[in-house]
Amino acid sequence: MKKQWRLMSNLSSRASLQWLFKMAWRDGKASISRLMLFMASIILGIAAVVSIQLFSENLKQNIKNQSKALMGADFIIDSRQLPSKKVQAIIDSLNVAASEVNFVSMAAFPKNDGTKLVKVRAIEGDFPFYGTLDTEPIIASSQYQKSGGALVDATLMLQFNLIPGDSIKLGKLTFPIIGALKSVPGSTAVSSTVAPPVLIPFRFIDDTELLQLGSRKEYQYFFVATPKTDLELLEKKIDPILDYENADLDTHTSTSERLGRRYDNVSKFLNLAAFIALLLGCVGIASSVHIYIKEKLKNVAVLKCIGATRKQTFLIYLIQIAGIGLIGGIIGSSIGVGLQYAFPYFLKGFLPFDVQISITAQPLIMGILLGVLMSVLFALLPLLGTWYVSPLEVLRGTDENLVKPRKARLFTLAAILLFIFLFSFWLLKDALFGLVFTVGILITFSIMAGMASLFMKVIKKYFPSNWGFTERQSLLNLFRPNNQTMVLILAIGLGTFFISTLYFTKDILLAKTSVENNSENANIILMDVQAEQNEAVVNTVISKGLKVINNIPIVTMRMYQIKDKLVNDIRKDSTSTMNQWILNHEFRVTYRDSLLVSEELLEGVWIKKREPGESILVSISDNIARDADLEIGDQLIFNVQGVLMETSIGSIRKVDWGRMQVNFSVVFPIGVLENAPQFNVVTTNVQNEVNSADLQRDLVKKFPNISVLDLRQMYTIIEDILDKISWIINFMAFFSILTGIIVLIGSVKNSKYQRIKESVLLRTLGAKSKQIIRITALEYVYLGILGSLLGILLSLISSQLLATLLFKEPFIPSVVPFLVFLPGITILVLIIGLSNIRSVLKSPPLEVLRKES
Amino acid sequence: MTKILNIHELEKTYTSGSKKLTVLSNISFEVEKGSTFSIVGPSGSGKTTLLGLCAGLDHPSNGTIELCGSKLEDLNEDERAQLRNKKVGFIFQNFQLLPTLTALENVIVPLELQGNKNAAKMGMELLQKVGLADRFHHYPSQLSGGEQQRVALARAFSNKPSILFADEPTGNLDEETGEKVIQLLFQLNKEAGTTLVIITHDLDLANRTQQILRLKGGKIMSNEKTMEINE
């Protein structure tokens, strides 16, 4: 007999798959309004993830394009000498697209007998391949090669009152000036530019006779990569070979990385926003399904009573939830894609660039998969209830015998945590961060659940029995059976937690961009200021109404001995792995007693001052330590313009080279170099081009030896990027916060079905509208205040941790979440709560019960 | 005659903390196939618990139950569900229709669970029998209490059960409607040749069955054949 039932059971299961879908559809169709709230959470979460992922991809692409524009090519091979056979073979094999030789030389202007140190760039080919030669007139950029003229830096032309048609003499040749050069890729980096650029066609370079043996020059070869080229791999493979031949490979990706930590942080923030938006969606799903399934348990008991198996009843609702997840995922992904296309329309006038939209398949597929996965996973806990509900409930009408399977619940929770970990790992590409995020969410969830539980216990224990009826009823609602305290505090608390965390994080990043965008940053650098000129130069700057931001002493020197080996010996040693640039580089060194904001001490002790008789402890940047294989205590002997100076490494610093300020690889303590031959670098900030030219004219007239470096062009690019970043941070934060608010509305709206029967019963027993409103309002106010306060307080901790560990920026909490989110969310919860019982107040009790059932 | 339900020394206890509450003890009786049987007793006497156990909705603490030739203690939850689906029908005091399904969909659920391809046609015939064919697309909330119970009757008979358990079938209905439902119940039962087990407070209703089991305090007070059998 038992065998016979097993056989029947199997046959029945096989025959009923179609029926399960049919039942899921029938039941879902009748519950469409409740499921819509559930679907809204999925749609918003997925829309946020997909739009952020796509936008993040597009942003990366746009910034990548800008980094290409800064370089003018995908990658460059450069060398201080004519390439060796080996290097030339590599250049040829990589299919060079353009080349140049550049060097610093004096230029003369016959028009007014002026002279100026310039950087001559002799170019062959259609350089640049990204970005543009911005010239005045525009046509000059395409004519200079053909007509054999020169493009001269625009500020330089202003300084010397030059106009197109005038001439410039470089060595033995005089070139007609075809146009003013406003910007050119490759002429923005501080390290390579100490003189304004002048572009000439390469074919005239020999006739200038400026390329003498031994003169300081640089050969550059520009390449355009195919879309499939892995630049990182290329750099990894070829750079060591080139290094050995005294050449170097630079990719545009490494240039964009050098734009600094700002970009990294924005990328991290966008991923955080996506992560939070999705988690908000999950909170919405969990709270909606919890209440939805609770309502369905009676149906499950009836189905079991009339012969449905546990598997069948479980599958009916699993199919329903997965189906909603699939539809939500598709709609959410479509909205995410739609938002991409809508961005350029919304952003007209806001964004300083045209967004190039392209849709990649990965975020779309992920969006749909995530929709199904997050729905099923976060619905699984309440769904488990359908498996264990007893058919006896039909007769008894209570769920007191409902088994709560510990193992299955733990398994589900573990699966949820794994999902969060994998999702954060996918976004952050860092297992440790993913783990920290997951544990952080678990701790936050536990604290909230613990606080909600404690809250209920405290109210129960210290219940104010002498309060009035409505006040007591509202408090009773918080802990009696069928209460919604835990679910709503978790939903409101987690929702507020995510919203506030995002708000605080947004502040952390925007504070940084605004600090860097002010007039405290130097945009004019005056080089080669001799010691005896220093005071007069400073006075000239001040007389123009400008502020001297830095006045930095610089001593030039070269490495003479590294550890116990002479540099000359290392050069000859074919087994040496030391990076060649260290051996040949002329270091510009300063001395000071403190670290800059762009520096971070990694190892050793920062020495402020060297007392007489003590050894000299210098600080080196981490890239020197890496390239020369140096450690704390290692000996370095410098050749300071003929004098050997023995030092030891006292500290190693991390330097943010991307910051627009004068940074140094080697820093001496005070009390060593004061009497060495030196010059100063003076920095200031000018408002505009005219002020810049005015200052430069004055300085060149009084101090012809001084080179003036104008960083404003570089700043314009950086400011453009920062503007984009600020806008995107604000937009994404706003989008995720909106998601959170809608999820909150959904969660509280769903709680309607918990309270409607009680309210109708009270109405039946004669309660006045005012009493029902008061009971409901107080309950939602308690839940709103506790949930949002918990969320904001915990977000302070999470934001501090994010600031310290992820963004590495200081965190100063804003009061906005306390002043706006706390009352705002409480009022929102109250309004939705009251709207839930509107039908009870307006219609007869029986009508409400019929309608709501 | 063949026994369709055989209960032997049944006991049901609940444990609450350290306390042990015996709801049913030493219950033994048999129900003949095709007969009508009622269980009566005051509130708290254990009637509903006994029904739950007989139908395999709950597990006894002691004793055995043989339903339609199957020993329930040998079957797992899913096998019991299958047994109910094939052999058992139910009628509840609160009708227990699925609120999200129409009248017709409610009726055909047991047939669809069996994989019956003519479910819709058979469901309509049953709704015709209970006089609700024109209301087949209505949801339970759009039907009166009596109409809901008639849909429940149609559902109970849809799988051609061998035994039908009815828990206070008129408990939520007025006298007139209740009488109509009972007449319909007996009529359908006679047509189908089903064994009928009714739990009721109503002695008049109980007297219309062939045998009455009286319960009090979880024990059998009497188990007698009725003199008068309503046709």
Side-chain angles (χ1 to χ4, degrees):
Chain A
M1 184 57 76
K2 196 172 162 70
K3 262 190 184 172
Q4 186 193 335
W5 285 118
R6 293 247 152 92
L7 189 65
M8 280 171 71
S9 174
N10 289 339
L11 281 171
S12 177
S13 307
R14 243 177 277 159
S16 62
L17 191 64
Q18 197 185 347
W19 177 76
L20 293 176
F21 277 93
K22 203 190 275 181
M23 278 300 285
W25 166 245
R26 281 172 185 163
D27 187 80
K29 193 175 59 175
S31 315
I32 197 76
S33 60
R34 294 183 201 195
L35 289 172
M36 283 309 284
L37 285 171
F38 161 47
M39 204 198 286
S41 303
I42 304 168
I43 291 173
L44 284 166
I46 296 296
V49 170
V50 170
S51 66
I52 286 171
Q53 279 293 298
L54 284 175
F55 202 65
S56 183
E57 287 296 318
N58 284 320
L59 175 75
K60 272 184 202 165
Q61 198 55 47
N62 275 277
I63 289 186
K64 203 182 266 183
N65 288 342
Q66 291 231 353
S67 71
K68 287 180 186 178
L70 283 175
M71 186 176 254
D74 284 311
F75 63 98
I76 294 176
I77 290 178
D78 61 77
S79 171
R80 291 274 173 208
Q81 63 210 35
L82 270 170
S84 64
K85 273 187 184 173
K86 206 170 184 180
V87 174
Q88 190 60 52
I90 291 172
I91 291 169
D92 293 342
S93 72
L94 291 170
N95 204 5
V96 65
S99 62
E100 84 166 50
V101 59
N102 65 63
F103 50 88
V104 174
S105 172
M106 289 306 291
F109 309 107
K111 183 182 179 183
N112 46 26
D113 290 331
T115 55
K116 172 76 180 165
L117 194 77
V118 295
K119 181 172 183 178
V120 179
R121 296 181 64 181
I123 291 174
E124 185 172 35
D126 285 335
F127 177 82
F129 303 99
Y130 302 102
T132 50
L133 282 181
D134 191 3
T135 58
E136 180 62 45
I138 296 167
I139 199 162
S141 61
S142 56
Q143 280 187 341
Y144 85 101
Q145 283 280 355
K146 209 173 170 185
S147 61
L151 296 172
V152 179
D153 180 71
T155 312
L156 183 67
M157 285 178 69
L158 266 176
Q159 282 175 334
F160 288 87
N161 285 322
L162 300 170
I163 55 166
D166 291 340
S167 49
I168 179 170
K169 194 175 178 210
L170 297 167
K172 301 275 184 192
L173 271 189
T174 302
F175 294 86
I177 298 174
I178 302 290
L181 189 59
K182 288 178 163 177
S183 74
V184 50
S187 276
T188 44
V190 185
S191 57
S192 68
T193 312
V194 289
V198 173
L199 265 63
I200 59 166
F202 182 81
R203 62 180 185 273
F204 298 110
I205 200 66
D206 286 340
D207 296 339
T208 63
E209 293 183 17
L210 287 171
L211 277 185
Q212 304 296 326
L213 198 67
S215 63
R216 194 179 168 89
K217 55 198 176 281
E218 183 186 37
Y219 293 88
Q220 289 195 317
Y221 298 87
F222 302 98
F223 298 87
V224 178
T226 59
K228 285 181 181 172
T229 308
D230 184 342
L231 291 178
E232 273 181 42
L233 188 69
L234 185 78
E235 189 174 7
K236 208 172 162 187
K237 275 176 76 176
I238 294 181
D239 204 34
I241 306 170
L242 293 173
D243 270 348
Y244 193 73
E245 300 286 327
N246 284 339
D248 190 32
L249 186 139
D250 261 335
T251 65
H252 76 87
T253 47
S254 53
T255 305
S256 71
E257 277 163 21
R258 277 200 295 271
L259 281 177
R261 287 185 293 147
R262 294 175 211 93
Y263 173 70
D264 281 352
N265 278 350
V266 170
S267 178
K268 283 175 196 163
F269 177 83
L270 287 180
N271 286 331
L272 182 73
F275 183 70
I276 283 180
L278 192 91
L279 285 180
L280 280 167
C282 294
V283 172
I285 292 168
S287 59
S288 306
V289 176
H290 177 81
I291 294 167
Y292 178 73
I293 294 292
K294 208 170 170 185
E295 297 278 314
K296 295 286 179 187
L297 290 182
K298 193 66 127 187
N299 289 5
V300 173
V302 173
L303 280 169
K304 283 188 176 175
C305 223
I306 56 181
T309 61
R310 286 174 300 183
K311 194 172 159 188
Q312 283 170 327
T313 50
F314 179 78
L315 282 175
I316 289 171
Y317 292 99
L318 186 72
I319 290 168
Q320 205 176 74
I321 300 292
I324 296 288
L326 181 69
I327 297 168
I330 293 169
I331 298 175
S333 298
S334 309
I335 291 174
V337 172
L339 273 175
Q340 294 302 297
Y341 285 107
F343 278 150
Y345 296 99
F346 288 132
L347 308 185
K348 257 182 195 165
F350 284 99
L351 273 185
F353 69 118
D354 289 331
V355 189
Q356 300 294 318
I357 298 299
S358 61
I359 307 297
T360 49
Q362 197 207 26
L364 290 177
I365 295 167
M366 278 303 284
I368 295 169
L369 283 178
L370 275 175
V372 177
L373 200 63
M374 70 196 261
S375 310
V376 170
L377 263 181
F378 283 80
L380 215 51
L381 270 185
L383 267 178
L384 279 175
T386 65
W387 188 275
Y388 293 95
V389 72
S390 162
L392 199 64
E393 223 185 281
V394 177
L395 298 174
R396 291 286 176 205
T398 61
D399 59 355
E400 61 195 22
N401 293 325
L402 189 63
V403 183
K404 291 188 174 166
R406 199 178 160 80
K407 265 189 190 171
R409 286 166 70 86
L410 284 175
F411 178 76
T412 310
L413 283 172
I416 288 173
L417 289 175
L418 183 68
F419 167 78
I420 294 174
F421 169 74
L422 290 176
F423 180 66
S424 49
F425 178 64
W426 175 63
L427 281 179
L428 300 169
K429 313 275 184 285
D430 187 318
L432 185 66
F433 275 137
L435 192 68
V436 171
F437 269 43
T438 312
V439 172
I441 300 279
L442 182 67
I443 292 172
T444 308
F445 186 87
S446 308
I447 292 175
M448 281 187 182
M451 289 301 285
S453 179
L454 186 71
F455 178 60
M456 287 190 273
K457 279 180 187 161
V458 167
I459 291 179
K460 202 173 178 181
K461 190 169 182 187
Y462 300 102
F463 189 75
S465 312
N466 52 347
W467 281 18
F469 170 72
T470 51
E471 288 79 9
R472 274 189 287 119
Q473 278 300 314
S474 62
L475 276 182
L476 276 169
N477 278 351
L478 294 172
F479 64 83
R480 66 180 181 167
N482 214 24
N483 70 71
Q484 51 192 352
T485 306
M486 183 62 84
V487 174
L488 283 187
I489 282 188
L490 282 175
I492 298 167
L494 285 173
T496 315
F497 169 76
F498 289 135
I499 289 172
S500 307
T501 303
L502 211 57
Y503 190 87
F504 285 136
T505 315
K506 172 187 84 84
D507 274 0
I508 294 169
L509 294 191
L510 292 186
K512 182 169 162 58
T513 58
S514 63
V515 164
E516 301 229 340
N517 245 346
N518 61 32
S519 62
E520 290 300 308
N521 286 330
N523 58 10
I524 295 281
I525 298 179
L526 312 179
M527 314 279 286
D528 296 333
V529 179
Q530 301 304 309
E532 63 276 13
Q533 294 174 322
N534 198 12
E535 197 181 337
V537 169
V538 168
N539 288 338
T540 306
V541 172
I542 292 170
S543 70
K544 298 278 174 195
L546 303 172
K547 191 177 159 190
V548 172
I549 295 168
N550 292 115
N551 192 350
I552 308 159
I554 291 177
V555 178
T556 56
M557 58 185 77
R558 288 176 187 273
M559 298 257 190
Y560 178 77
Q561 184 179 318
I562 299 172
K563 292 189 242 184
D564 56 350
K565 272 192 171 179
L566 290 174
V567 165
N568 274 339
D569 294 342
I570 302 173
R571 277 200 197 100
K572 289 173 199 160
D573 181 1
S574 60
T575 60
S576 168
T577 54
M578 190 167 296
N579 211 311
Q580 295 289 313
W581 77 270
I582 301 271
L583 311 175
N584 303 323
H585 191 69
E586 185 182 67
F587 289 91
R588 289 167 177 244
V589 173
T590 192
Y591 51 92
R592 55 177 142 87
D593 61 359
S594 56
L595 285 166
L596 300 178
V597 282
S598 60
E599 296 172 324
E600 184 190 336
L601 199 65
L602 294 178
E603 285 178 62
V605 181
W606 176 256
I607 306 296
K608 289 183 177 180
K609 193 178 176 184
R610 180 233 184 190
E611 297 299 337
E614 286 180 353
S615 57
I616 304 167
L617 293 173
V618 298
S619 177
I620 60 167
S621 59
D622 57 347
N623 57 317
I624 292 190
R626 188 183 58 240
D627 291 349
D629 192 22
L630 292 171
E631 290 174 358
I632 300 289
D634 282 348
Q635 191 193 44
L636 280 177
I637 299 179
F638 287 98
N639 180 343
V640 187
Q641 294 159 54
V643 177
L644 296 183
M645 188 168 282
E646 196 176 318
T647 67
S648 298
I649 297 169
S651 64
I652 298 172
R653 287 164 301 130
K654 184 179 178 183
V655 180
D656 183 1
W657 297 100
R659 286 197 186 230
M660 291 293 96
Q661 64 185 52
V662 186
N663 285 310
F664 293 90
S665 304
V666 182
V667 179
F668 273 62
I670 288 173
V672 181
L673 294 173
E674 278 77 357
N675 296 323
Q678 58 190 271
F679 62 90
N680 279 48
V681 169
V682 176
T683 66
T684 184
N685 180 286
V686 297
Q687 291 287 314
N688 51 46
E689 200 169 303
V690 178
N691 289 353
S692 166
D694 179 41
L695 176 69
Q696 290 189 48
R697 247 195 312 269
D698 218 12
L699 286 169
V700 170
K701 207 170 161 187
K702 289 183 191 165
F703 317 101
N705 64 304
I706 291 178
S707 301
V708 182
L709 187 62
D710 188 345
L711 290 179
R712 286 174 308 110
Q713 283 177 6
M714 187 73 165
Y715 261 118
T716 309
I717 293 171
I718 298 294
E719 276 169 12
D720 274 2
I721 293 173
L722 289 180
D723 280 352
K724 287 168 209 169
I725 287 167
S726 304
W727 190 90
I728 289 158
I729 287 173
N730 274 320
F731 179 83
M732 288 308 172
F734 169 77
F735 192 82
S736 292
I737 287 170
L738 188 72
T739 309
I741 288 170
I742 291 172
V743 164
L744 274 182
I745 293 174
S747 304
V748 181
K749 195 86 193 156
N750 254 330
S751 68
K752 167 183 184 172
Y753 306 104
Q754 294 275 91
R755 283 288 165 263
I756 205 109
K757 278 180 187 162
E758 287 92 332
S759 299
V760 167
L761 188 61
L762 282 172
R763 191 65 156 172
T764 312
L765 293 173
K768 292 176 192 163
S769 297
K770 206 176 156 184
Q771 288 171 311
I772 294 176
I773 288 174
R774 202 170 158 78
I775 291 169
T776 312
L778 282 172
E779 183 187 357
Y780 282 103
V781 166
Y782 299 143
L783 293 171
I785 290 177
L786 187 70
S788 52
L789 186 66
L790 263 177
I792 294 172
L793 289 175
L794 287 174
S795 74
L796 280 174
I797 301 170
S798 66
S799 303
Q800 181 62 64
L801 289 172
L802 282 171
T804 315
L805 300 176
L806 191 64
F807 297 113
K808 299 190 173 25
E809 298 294 341
F811 170 51
I812 303 159
S814 148
V815 289
V816 170
F818 289 97
L819 294 182
V820 179
F821 292 173
L822 180 60
I825 288 172
T826 307
I827 290 169
L828 186 74
V829 168
L830 173 66
I831 291 171
I832 308 162
L834 288 179
S835 79
N836 282 353
I837 56 152
R838 205 178 44 190
S839 61
V840 178
L841 305 174
K842 286 190 172 173
S843 317
L846 211 58
E847 194 181 307
V848 178
L849 277 183
R850 271 175 174 274
K851 210 168 144 189
E852 298 300 338
S853 66
Chain B
M1 281 188 83
T2 324
K3 312 293 179 206
I4 194 162
L5 180 64
N6 195 342
I7 308 291
H8 184 65
E9 292 185 355
L10 201 65
E11 187 181 295
K12 180 70 182 175
T13 55
Y14 291 104
T15 312
S16 173
S18 57
K19 287 182 184 172
K20 200 174 165 186
L21 180 69
T22 302
V23 181
L24 290 171
S25 71
N26 200 23
I27 305 288
S28 297
F29 66 93
E30 291 168 340
V31 177
E32 289 176 1
K33 191 174 180 184
S35 68
T36 53
F37 189 92
S38 56
I39 301 170
V40 296
S43 296
S45 58
K47 300 189 296 292
T48 305
T49 306
L50 181 57
L51 176 76
L53 290 169
C54 292
L57 302 178
D58 200 2
H59 298 267
S61 307
N62 276 310
T64 58
I65 304 159
E66 194 177 319
L67 177 66
C68 302
S70 296
K71 285 190 174 174
L72 293 187
E73 63 267 27
D74 290 346
L75 306 181
N76 66 26
E77 281 302 325
D78 289 340
E79 287 160 352
R80 285 167 188 235
Q82 287 296 303
L83 174 64
R84 286 196 294 272
N85 181 235
K86 307 284 177 196
K87 304 275 184 183
V88 181
F90 282 99
I91 296 171
F92 305 102
Q93 183 176 355
N94 293 329
F95 326 132
Q96 301 292 9
L97 297 177
L98 297 169
T100 50
L101 267 56
T102 62
L104 178 63
E105 287 167 350
N106 262 291
V107 173
I108 63 176
V109 165
L111 292 169
E112 288 183 322
L113 273 167
Q114 293 174 5
N116 191 318
K117 292 196 174 147
N118 291 318
K121 193 181 162 205
M122 290 169 73
M124 278 306 287
E125 282 170 9
L126 279 160
L127 280 176
Q128 189 90 42
K129 279 187 182 173
V130 298
L132 288 172
D134 55 338
R135 309 287 299 273
F136 74 96
H137 59 291
H138 284 201
Y139 284 97
S141 60
Q142 295 167 314
L143 301 171
S144 70
E147 287 168 335
Q148 286 189 49
Q149 194 61 306
R150 277 148 67 194
V151 174
L153 271 176
R155 181 178 69 184
F157 282 99
S158 67
N159 60 339
K160 296 192 170 64
S162 303
I163 185 165
L164 194 147
F165 292 100
D167 180 21
E168 302 277 11
T170 58
N172 266 3
L173 302 172
D174 62 65
E175 202 175 331
E176 195 183 332
T177 313
E179 180 53 31
K180 282 180 188 166
V181 166
I182 288 301
Q183 279 183 11
L184 194 59
L185 170 64
F186 276 96
Q187 183 198 325
L188 290 170
N189 187 57
K190 192 179 170 192
E191 283 172 20
T194 311
T195 309
L196 179 63
V197 178
I198 302 179
I199 285 182
T200 182
H201 279 107
D202 183 353
L203 282 178
D204 286 342
L205 172 59
N207 279 326
R208 290 156 87 166
T209 62
Q210 292 163 321
Q211 195 161 346
I212 301 175
L213 179 89
R214 289 172 197 276
L215 281 179
K216 196 176 177 185
K219 289 180 178 158
I220 293 176
M221 292 290 104
S222 66
N223 182 7
E224 297 166 331
K225 301 247 182 212
T226 46
M227 299 301 291
E228 183 190 353
I229 299 171
N230 290 299
E231 291 296 319

